[in-house]
Amino acid sequence: MKQAIVTDKVPGAIGPYSLGIRTGKMIFLSGQLPINPATNELITDDIKEAARQILTNIDAILNAAKGSLADVVKTTIFLTNMDNFADVNEVYTGFFGDPAPARSCVAVAALPKNADIEIEAIAILP
């Protein structure tokens, strides 16, 4: 059985998909863009702030599913510019404890809404 994760703490999906799906103890989050839920505006001028906003949004979605960032086992980061890799790592490190989740980071030509970064996550609840 799968259950959509719904919360008003983050911007809604911008297409025909769920923010996240929970099935049993597993949570699959769709890719999140750096959208500030208070203003509904995309953060484009500061990659560190963009990464911080995404990870904060991911935490809020996980909280809505009774989980947290501590439950994340895998993330995928999509960057339009690999020159931002070190800055994203700096922010990312502050959100995850040890051991950090498994992770992939890939360069892409473009992202929705012309964002510079998108992050998706998989979590397993205890």
Side-chain angles (χ1 to χ4, degrees), residues 14 17 39 43 47 58 68 75 80 82-83 91 95 99 101 110 122:
I14 61 171
Y17 60 88
T39 63
I43 297 169
I47 194 65
I58 286 174
S68 72
T75 62
T80 58
M82 274 299 187
D83 289 343
V91 172
F95 280 82
I122 300 171

Side-chain angles (χ1 to χ4, degrees), residues 12 14-17 20 25 29-31 40 44-45 49 55 60 65 68 71 78 80 82 91 93 110 113 122-123 125:
I14 61 171
Y17 60 88
K25 292 185 175 194
L29 297 188
S30 296
N40 213 32
T44 59
D45 56 343
E49 186 57 33
L55 293 167
S68 72
D71 301 318
F78 304 92
T80 58
M82 274 299 187
V91 172
T93 300
K113 295 187 170 274
I122 300 171
L125 300 176

Side-chain angles (χ1 to χ4, degrees), residues 33 42-44 80 110-117:
L33 298 177
L42 183 75
I43 297 169
T44 59
T80 58
L111 290 166
K113 295 187 170 274
N114 292 316
D116 297 320
I117 182 173

Side-chain angles (χ1 to χ4, degrees), residues 5-7 9-10 22 27 29 55-72 123 125:
I5 300 168
V6 179
T7 179
K9 305 284 186 211
V10 302
R22 179 175 177 171
I27 300 172
L29 297 188
L55 293 167
T56 299
N57 290 353
I58 286 174
D59 190 40
I61 298 166
L62 290 169
N63 289 173
K66 308 295 186 232
S68 72
L69 289 174
D71 301 318
V72 175
L125 300 176

Side-chain angles (χ1 to χ4, degrees), residues 23 40 89 104 106 113:
T23 180
N40 213 32
N89 277 342
S104 301
V106 296
K113 295 187 170 274

